[in-house]
Amino acid sequence: MKFTNAAVIGAGTIGLSWTALFAHHGLTVRVSDPRPDLAEAISDALTSFAPHLGTTAEELASRVHVAADVTESVKDADVVQENGPENVEFKKDLFKTLVEEAPEHALLLSSSSAIPSTAFTGGIDGSRVLIGHPFNPPHLIPLVEVVPGEQTSEESVEAAVGFYTFLGRTPVVERKEIPGFVGNRLQNALSREAIYLVEQGVVTPEDLDKVITNSLGIRWAAVGPFLGSHLGGGPGGYRHMAEHIGQSMKKMWAGLGNPSQSPEEQERLIEAVEKAYGSSTYSELAETRDRKQLAVLNAMEEN
């Protein structure tokens, strides 16, 4: 399937990042969002993201257009990327419109981070509707979780994989719908224990981040948890790890934390994070994050 025209529905952080990536790969992009500052938001985003992509804001902007509404944005789209609220009813209404208004060949993709497409495609033809969930920001982070719903055709799954591969992303097809998909479930599991450890006074938020960025973050960026464990077992591999250390690790599962996150505990955590990072602006922190992420990605490409 050839992709020439794209529609981006919703111009928040994710939608604007998709917009830059689509434009960078030569697509004509029409963006729809009711926000009154849409044109300004697009301009600011393209200016910010262009250096990451090795291009100029002017080059990206030449392929990006503001659409008056959803119908106009999808009128000749080959692919639609929805980035609206995490709300089932909102998505039901929107995808009903998309099925009716977008060309019959158009892929209808949702950036939903937790809601499977089956939840919002009842009563419509969902054969070309599926999840294309990125990690923020999608113009930098390669992973896209491709999650078909009960109605999604295999042709649509293959087309989605082809589309994200064309964009230089790393699509992973998940063959079973589960709330939160894979990436967010793993992230939330780690976040839950991180919150518990801070709540219990074991470590500060800043030092917990140091633990991850100076150990697991490095290892998992290179090899992931399963290959990391396979290598951790030495020549005996994952089998040795499971048979000799696995039982000790299993005993820890029952003792993993269950943070209370009462209003008081939540406020203490918020204040601790603000104390650690509040001296820098959002833009400063995001720029540092993206610069480091680019360095990691470049290093991985070289190897």
Side-chain angles (χ1 to χ4, degrees):
M1 183 174 176
K2 185 178 181 180
F3 301 99
T4 302
N5 299 307
V8 172
I9 311 298
T13 302
I14 299 297
L16 291 170
S17 181
W18 277 131
T19 297
L21 183 67
F22 293 174
H24 178 57
H25 285 272
L27 295 171
T28 296
V29 189
R30 289 188 173 85
V31 185
S32 171
D33 191 295
R35 61 187 296 176
D37 65 337
L38 180 55
E40 181 182 358
I42 292 172
S43 177
D44 290 346
L46 298 184
T47 299
S48 177
F49 299 154
H52 301 161
L53 297 168
T55 186
T56 65
E58 292 75 18
E59 178 67 19
L60 296 176
S62 68
R63 291 187 284 274
V64 178
H65 308 277
V66 173
D69 52 29
V70 169
T71 298
E72 180 181 316
S73 69
V74 304
K75 63 182 180 181
D76 57 0
D78 301 307
V79 61
V80 179
Q81 187 82 41
E82 174 267 329
N83 313 277
E86 286 290 298
N87 180 289
V88 172
E89 294 305 316
F90 170 86
K91 293 185 189 299
K92 280 182 179 178
D93 292 341
L94 177 59
F95 275 86
K96 182 177 184 296
T97 299
L98 295 180
V99 168
E100 294 171 350
E101 300 293 340
E104 291 184 1
H105 72 280
L107 267 177
L108 306 178
L109 302 162
S110 173
S111 295
S112 171
S113 59
I115 305 171
S117 63
T118 297
F120 54 82
T121 51
I124 65 172
D125 177 8
S127 61
R128 54 198 174 115
V129 179
L130 67 166
I131 302 298
H133 172 240
F135 267 58
N136 183 36
H139 73 279
L140 289 185
I141 304 299
L143 177 69
V144 183
E145 296 179 282
V146 175
V147 190
E150 291 177 0
Q151 297 187 57
T152 309
S153 70
E154 187 60 32
E155 291 76 15
S156 293
V157 175
E158 292 174 0
V161 169
F163 174 61
Y164 291 124
T165 301
F166 162 71
L167 296 174
R169 304 303 86 187
T170 303
V172 173
V173 178
E174 298 170 12
R175 292 296 179 179
K176 184 176 181 179
E177 289 184 301
I178 187 168
F181 317 122
V182 173
N184 274 339
R185 291 179 74 90
L186 292 171
Q187 181 173 246
N188 287 341
L190 183 59
S191 293
R192 174 177 166 172
E193 184 65 15
I195 291 169
Y196 176 77
L197 292 169
V198 172
E199 195 174 273
Q200 294 299 307
V202 176
V203 69
T204 66
E206 187 174 19
D207 283 341
L208 190 137
D209 283 349
K210 289 178 182 178
V211 169
I212 297 298
T213 56
N214 289 278
S215 61
L216 295 178
I218 298 170
R219 178 183 296 165
W220 287 354
V223 296
F226 280 117
L227 179 51
S229 294
H230 184 58
L231 294 170
Y238 193 80
R239 180 178 297 280
H240 179 82
M241 174 72 76
E243 292 176 350
H244 290 80
I245 304 176
Q247 292 306 310
S248 297
M249 298 297 288
K250 186 176 179 180
K251 290 178 181 178
M252 290 187 198
W253 295 352
L256 290 175
N258 186 22
S260 70
Q261 279 295 275
S262 64
E264 295 77 18
E265 289 290 356
Q266 186 177 50
E267 182 59 29
R268 274 194 285 272
L269 179 60
I270 291 170
E271 291 177 357
V273 173
E274 289 176 341
K275 180 180 179 181
Y277 301 114
S279 61
S280 299
T281 66
Y282 169 80
S283 296
E284 290 169 339
L285 292 171
E287 190 278 330
T288 300
R289 175 201 65 190
D290 293 342
R291 176 167 42 81
K292 290 180 177 180
Q293 288 179 159
L294 276 169
V296 171
L297 290 168
N298 289 335
M300 292 175 69
E301 286 181 4
E302 292 173 1
N303 292 279

